[in-house]
Amino acid sequence: AGWVWINGFHLGRYDSAGPQYTLYLPGALLKEKDNELILLDLRPEEDRQTVELVSEPAIEGEGEELK
C-alpha cells in the first residue's frame, strides 16, 4: 500500500489487495524529459520493485484474472 506522485501531482493511492491495480496518468502531466516519479510504499515487498506504464487499466473482475 502506498501513494504515487508524478512531477509533484498526486496520482493516487495503491494497494496490492486490489481491486484496482493501475492508476491513470494523464499525458498532460508528463514533460518531454526529466519526469520525477515518487512512490511512498508503506509495505515494500522485494518481489514488487517495478513500475510499468501500460495502455489499458488492470481492474480485478474485468477481462483476465490477475495474479
Side-chain angles (χ1 to χ4, degrees), residues 3 25 31 34-35 38-39 42 66:
W3 289 267
L25 172 57
K31 300 185 266 182
D34 299 327
N35 290 287
I38 297 175
L39 297 172
L42 301 177
L66 301 171

Side-chain angles (χ1 to χ4, degrees), residues 2 11 17 37 47 53 61:
L11 283 182
L37 175 68
D47 63 340
L53 300 178

Side-chain angles (χ1 to χ4, degrees), residues 6 8 15-16 19 21 37 40 42-45 47 50-51 57 63 66:
I6 185 82
D15 194 319
S16 60
Y21 294 92
L37 175 68
L40 172 59
L42 301 177
R43 291 184 292 179
E45 300 171 15
D47 63 340
T50 62
V51 172
L66 301 171

Side-chain angles (χ1 to χ4, degrees), residues 3-16:
W3 289 267
V4 180
W5 292 265
I6 185 82
N7 296 326
F9 180 85
H10 181 238
L11 283 182
R13 184 179 186 276
Y14 68 91
D15 194 319
S16 60

Side-chain angles (χ1 to χ4, degrees), residues 44-61:
E45 300 171 15
E46 288 186 34
D47 63 340
R48 284 189 324 126
Q49 299 277 337
T50 62
V51 172
E52 185 177 354
L53 300 178
V54 296
S55 60
E56 297 292 324
I59 301 173
E60 190 174 343

